[in-house]
Amino acid sequence: MGRAVIAAASDRDDVDIVVGVSSDPPREINGVPTESAADLEAVVSEYDPDVLVDFSNPDASRTLVSACADADVACVVGTTGFDGDEPVFREASESVPVLVASNFSRGVQALLRAVEGAVSDLPGYDVELTETHHNGKRDAPSGTAKTLLDRIAAAGGPDERVHGRDGDAPRQPGEIGVHARRAGGIAGEHEVLIANDHEDLRLSHRAADRGVFADGALDAAAWVTGRHPGRYEFSEVISE
């Protein structure tokens, strides 16, 4: 994702990537200097960025966000795999604008709204969620799947999550089946199945490549820069 963000920025006039940070960085990527994450304070001081775009892992993200908040740098976080709401985001948002999203696709934002409406309009229907990602993705289910599950529950749908089924496992009232698949280089697919005995509705989204997430993250970075400290949502970015 870091390389995708750098590539996407090269086609835009509203953002410039000044430095990349990684645990084991090359000297540069597409002309952008890259530095070690081991000395974040020095990197931030030297390059003086306006905003951090973070696609890393939970441990690295916590460190990055904390360091950038101390340096008065806004944060856009696309990292997933956290266990609930992170205290570091709440703390950072007291001093800088922080935008956290499980997915930066505009199509996924439309999917979230559509799923909420469908679940609300079809009370009592069974709901199943399937997500598919590349074979290197570490967290399961995906952050986007978790967001969909939260929205389904908030809309009155089932909220007892069953991760896959094996053996004698008849469906129970109030449960939602969650299925994660990992294969090849798939950028991301999500499908919500809503069904009763007479009909079924399938709502899905497929990302063709990681560029869609990079573009959305850069939209968020441009939007959040200069805002007041606080927590922001990607839905706010695309609503303007």
PDB file of all heavy atoms in Angstrom, residues 37-56:
ATOM      1  N   ALA A  37      11.837   3.442  10.304  1.00  0.00           N
ATOM      2  CA  ALA A  37      10.873   3.805  11.336  1.00  0.00           C
ATOM      3  C   ALA A  37      11.500   3.808  12.722  1.00  0.00           C
ATOM      4  O   ALA A  37      10.846   4.204  13.692  1.00  0.00           O
ATOM      5  CB  ALA A  37       9.698   2.836  11.311  1.00  0.00           C
ATOM      6  N   ALA A  38      12.744   3.397  12.820  1.00  0.00           N
ATOM      7  CA  ALA A  38      13.393   3.315  14.128  1.00  0.00           C
ATOM      8  C   ALA A  38      13.654   4.681  14.739  1.00  0.00           C
ATOM      9  O   ALA A  38      13.825   4.795  15.950  1.00  0.00           O
ATOM     10  CB  ALA A  38      14.712   2.541  14.007  1.00  0.00           C
ATOM     11  N   ASP A  39      13.714   5.727  13.912  1.00  0.00           N
ATOM     12  CA  ASP A  39      13.986   7.071  14.431  1.00  0.00           C
ATOM     13  C   ASP A  39      12.955   8.049  13.889  1.00  0.00           C
ATOM     14  O   ASP A  39      13.262   8.974  13.142  1.00  0.00           O
ATOM     15  CB  ASP A  39      15.400   7.508  14.040  1.00  0.00           C
ATOM     16  CG  ASP A  39      15.874   8.716  14.848  1.00  0.00           C
ATOM     17  OD1 ASP A  39      15.124   9.163  15.742  1.00  0.00           O
ATOM     18  OD2 ASP A  39      16.980   9.207  14.575  1.00  0.00           O
ATOM     19  N   LEU A  40      11.716   7.840  14.280  1.00  0.00           N
ATOM     20  CA  LEU A  40      10.614   8.632  13.745  1.00  0.00           C
ATOM     21  C   LEU A  40      10.738  10.110  14.084  1.00  0.00           C
ATOM     22  O   LEU A  40      10.426  10.973  13.263  1.00  0.00           O
ATOM     23  CB  LEU A  40       9.288   8.101  14.293  1.00  0.00           C
ATOM     24  CG  LEU A  40       8.754   6.824  13.665  1.00  0.00           C
ATOM     25  CD1 LEU A  40       7.543   6.340  14.436  1.00  0.00           C
ATOM     26  CD2 LEU A  40       8.394   7.060  12.219  1.00  0.00           C
ATOM     27  N   GLU A  41      11.168  10.401  15.292  1.00  0.00           N
ATOM     28  CA  GLU A  41      11.259  11.797  15.715  1.00  0.00           C
ATOM     29  C   GLU A  41      12.177  12.586  14.791  1.00  0.00           C
ATOM     30  O   GLU A  41      11.852  13.697  14.367  1.00  0.00           O
ATOM     31  CB  GLU A  41      11.763  11.877  17.154  1.00  0.00           C
ATOM     32  CG  GLU A  41      11.781  13.288  17.715  1.00  0.00           C
ATOM     33  CD  GLU A  41      12.196  13.341  19.173  1.00  0.00           C
ATOM     34  OE1 GLU A  41      12.183  12.283  19.840  1.00  0.00           O
ATOM     35  OE2 GLU A  41      12.527  14.449  19.657  1.00  0.00           O
ATOM     36  N   ALA A  42      13.313  12.001  14.444  1.00  0.00           N
ATOM     37  CA  ALA A  42      14.261  12.672  13.550  1.00  0.00           C
ATOM     38  C   ALA A  42      13.696  12.799  12.143  1.00  0.00           C
ATOM     39  O   ALA A  42      13.880  13.825  11.482  1.00  0.00           O
ATOM     40  CB  ALA A  42      15.581  11.908  13.523  1.00  0.00           C
ATOM     41  N   VAL A  43      13.005  11.770  11.667  1.00  0.00           N
ATOM     42  CA  VAL A  43      12.419  11.800  10.327  1.00  0.00           C
ATOM     43  C   VAL A  43      11.373  12.913  10.232  1.00  0.00           C
ATOM     44  O   VAL A  43      11.359  13.697   9.277  1.00  0.00           O
ATOM     45  CB  VAL A  43      11.792  10.431   9.979  1.00  0.00           C
ATOM     46  CG1 VAL A  43      11.021  10.526   8.663  1.00  0.00           C
ATOM     47  CG2 VAL A  43      12.862   9.359   9.890  1.00  0.00           C
ATOM     48  N   VAL A  44      10.483  12.986  11.210  1.00  0.00           N
ATOM     49  CA  VAL A  44       9.436  14.011  11.198  1.00  0.00           C
ATOM     50  C   VAL A  44      10.050  15.393  11.285  1.00  0.00           C
ATOM     51  O   VAL A  44       9.611  16.329  10.597  1.00  0.00           O
ATOM     52  CB  VAL A  44       8.452  13.770  12.362  1.00  0.00           C
ATOM     53  CG1 VAL A  44       7.474  14.939  12.481  1.00  0.00           C
ATOM     54  CG2 VAL A  44       7.685  12.477  12.144  1.00  0.00           C
ATOM     55  N   SER A  45      11.101  15.548  12.097  1.00  0.00           N
ATOM     56  CA  SER A  45      11.752  16.847  12.238  1.00  0.00           C
ATOM     57  C   SER A  45      12.423  17.282  10.937  1.00  0.00           C
ATOM     58  O   SER A  45      12.350  18.451  10.547  1.00  0.00           O
ATOM     59  CB  SER A  45      12.794  16.779  13.358  1.00  0.00           C
ATOM     60  OG  SER A  45      13.510  17.988  13.462  1.00  0.00           O
ATOM     61  N   GLU A  46      13.041  16.339  10.233  1.00  0.00           N
ATOM     62  CA  GLU A  46      13.764  16.681   9.003  1.00  0.00           C
ATOM     63  C   GLU A  46      12.824  17.008   7.853  1.00  0.00           C
ATOM     64  O   GLU A  46      13.032  17.973   7.118  1.00  0.00           O
ATOM     65  CB  GLU A  46      14.676  15.522   8.598  1.00  0.00           C
ATOM     66  CG  GLU A  46      15.415  15.771   7.293  1.00  0.00           C
ATOM     67  CD  GLU A  46      16.320  14.618   6.888  1.00  0.00           C
ATOM     68  OE1 GLU A  46      16.452  13.658   7.677  1.00  0.00           O
ATOM     69  OE2 GLU A  46      16.901  14.686   5.780  1.00  0.00           O
ATOM     70  N   TYR A  47      11.756  16.233   7.691  1.00  0.00           N
ATOM     71  CA  TYR A  47      10.905  16.377   6.510  1.00  0.00           C
ATOM     72  C   TYR A  47       9.669  17.239   6.750  1.00  0.00           C
ATOM     73  O   TYR A  47       9.028  17.675   5.796  1.00  0.00           O
ATOM     74  CB  TYR A  47      10.483  15.000   6.000  1.00  0.00           C
ATOM     75  CG  TYR A  47      11.632  14.224   5.396  1.00  0.00           C
ATOM     76  CD1 TYR A  47      12.372  13.323   6.166  1.00  0.00           C
ATOM     77  CD2 TYR A  47      11.997  14.389   4.068  1.00  0.00           C
ATOM     78  CE1 TYR A  47      13.422  12.605   5.628  1.00  0.00           C
ATOM     79  CE2 TYR A  47      13.050  13.681   3.512  1.00  0.00           C
ATOM     80  CZ  TYR A  47      13.763  12.791   4.301  1.00  0.00           C
ATOM     81  OH  TYR A  47      14.804  12.078   3.762  1.00  0.00           O
ATOM     82  N   ASP A  48       9.305  17.468   8.007  1.00  0.00           N
ATOM     83  CA  ASP A  48       8.207  18.365   8.382  1.00  0.00           C
ATOM     84  C   ASP A  48       6.934  18.107   7.573  1.00  0.00           C
ATOM     85  O   ASP A  48       6.411  18.990   6.888  1.00  0.00           O
ATOM     86  CB  ASP A  48       8.656  19.819   8.191  1.00  0.00           C
ATOM     87  CG  ASP A  48       7.672  20.811   8.809  1.00  0.00           C
ATOM     88  OD1 ASP A  48       6.979  20.423   9.766  1.00  0.00           O
ATOM     89  OD2 ASP A  48       7.599  21.953   8.321  1.00  0.00           O
ATOM     90  N   PRO A  49       6.366  16.906   7.644  1.00  0.00           N
ATOM     91  CA  PRO A  49       5.148  16.610   6.873  1.00  0.00           C
ATOM     92  C   PRO A  49       3.917  17.273   7.480  1.00  0.00           C
ATOM     93  O   PRO A  49       3.892  17.614   8.670  1.00  0.00           O
ATOM     94  CB  PRO A  49       5.041  15.084   6.980  1.00  0.00           C
ATOM     95  CG  PRO A  49       5.672  14.769   8.306  1.00  0.00           C
ATOM     96  CD  PRO A  49       6.803  15.751   8.446  1.00  0.00           C
ATOM     97  N   ASP A  50       2.899  17.463   6.655  1.00  0.00           N
ATOM     98  CA  ASP A  50       1.606  17.972   7.136  1.00  0.00           C
ATOM     99  C   ASP A  50       0.721  16.855   7.661  1.00  0.00           C
ATOM    100  O   ASP A  50      -0.084  17.070   8.571  1.00  0.00           O
ATOM    101  CB  ASP A  50       0.868  18.690   5.993  1.00  0.00           C
ATOM    102  CG  ASP A  50       1.612  19.915   5.506  1.00  0.00           C
ATOM    103  OD1 ASP A  50       1.957  20.761   6.336  1.00  0.00           O
ATOM    104  OD2 ASP A  50       1.848  19.997   4.284  1.00  0.00           O
ATOM    105  N   VAL A  51       0.849  15.669   7.061  1.00  0.00           N
ATOM    106  CA  VAL A  51      -0.059  14.574   7.406  1.00  0.00           C
ATOM    107  C   VAL A  51       0.635  13.237   7.183  1.00  0.00           C
ATOM    108  O   VAL A  51       1.450  13.092   6.260  1.00  0.00           O
ATOM    109  CB  VAL A  51      -1.358  14.669   6.567  1.00  0.00           C
ATOM    110  CG1 VAL A  51      -1.054  14.632   5.082  1.00  0.00           C
ATOM    111  CG2 VAL A  51      -2.349  13.573   6.951  1.00  0.00           C
ATOM    112  N   LEU A  52       0.340  12.295   8.033  1.00  0.00           N
ATOM    113  CA  LEU A  52       0.799  10.915   7.908  1.00  0.00           C
ATOM    114  C   LEU A  52      -0.285  10.087   7.248  1.00  0.00           C
ATOM    115  O   LEU A  52      -1.450  10.175   7.621  1.00  0.00           O
ATOM    116  CB  LEU A  52       1.084  10.344   9.299  1.00  0.00           C
ATOM    117  CG  LEU A  52       1.149   8.815   9.426  1.00  0.00           C
ATOM    118  CD1 LEU A  52       2.480   8.301   8.891  1.00  0.00           C
ATOM    119  CD2 LEU A  52       0.946   8.372  10.871  1.00  0.00           C
ATOM    120  N   VAL A  53       0.091   9.261   6.267  1.00  0.00           N
ATOM    121  CA  VAL A  53      -0.810   8.249   5.709  1.00  0.00           C
ATOM    122  C   VAL A  53      -0.238   6.899   6.113  1.00  0.00           C
ATOM    123  O   VAL A  53       0.862   6.531   5.694  1.00  0.00           O
ATOM    124  CB  VAL A  53      -0.926   8.354   4.176  1.00  0.00           C
ATOM    125  CG1 VAL A  53      -1.777   7.210   3.638  1.00  0.00           C
ATOM    126  CG2 VAL A  53      -1.523   9.688   3.781  1.00  0.00           C
ATOM    127  N   ASP A  54      -0.978   6.171   6.932  1.00  0.00           N
ATOM    128  CA  ASP A  54      -0.455   4.959   7.551  1.00  0.00           C
ATOM    129  C   ASP A  54      -1.167   3.712   7.055  1.00  0.00           C
ATOM    130  O   ASP A  54      -2.370   3.549   7.249  1.00  0.00           O
ATOM    131  CB  ASP A  54      -0.604   5.068   9.078  1.00  0.00           C
ATOM    132  CG  ASP A  54      -0.386   3.734   9.775  1.00  0.00           C
ATOM    133  OD1 ASP A  54       0.612   3.067   9.446  1.00  0.00           O
ATOM    134  OD2 ASP A  54      -1.206   3.366  10.637  1.00  0.00           O
ATOM    135  N   PHE A  55      -0.413   2.828   6.401  1.00  0.00           N
ATOM    136  CA  PHE A  55      -0.859   1.478   6.079  1.00  0.00           C
ATOM    137  C   PHE A  55       0.249   0.546   6.566  1.00  0.00           C
ATOM    138  O   PHE A  55       1.175   0.238   5.813  1.00  0.00           O
ATOM    139  CB  PHE A  55      -1.062   1.295   4.570  1.00  0.00           C
ATOM    140  CG  PHE A  55      -2.278   1.975   4.016  1.00  0.00           C
ATOM    141  CD1 PHE A  55      -2.185   3.200   3.387  1.00  0.00           C
ATOM    142  CD2 PHE A  55      -3.524   1.378   4.105  1.00  0.00           C
ATOM    143  CE1 PHE A  55      -3.305   3.831   2.856  1.00  0.00           C
ATOM    144  CE2 PHE A  55      -4.657   1.993   3.582  1.00  0.00           C
ATOM    145  CZ  PHE A  55      -4.540   3.226   2.957  1.00  0.00           C
ATOM    146  N   SER A  56       0.184   0.140   7.805  1.00  0.00           N
ATOM    147  CA  SER A  56       1.271  -0.674   8.352  1.00  0.00           C
ATOM    148  C   SER A  56       0.697  -1.879   9.087  1.00  0.00           C
ATOM    149  O   SER A  56       0.041  -2.720   8.486  1.00  0.00           O
ATOM    150  CB  SER A  56       2.161   0.186   9.274  1.00  0.00           C
ATOM    151  OG  SER A  56       1.402   0.818  10.296  1.00  0.00           O
TER     152      SER A  56
END
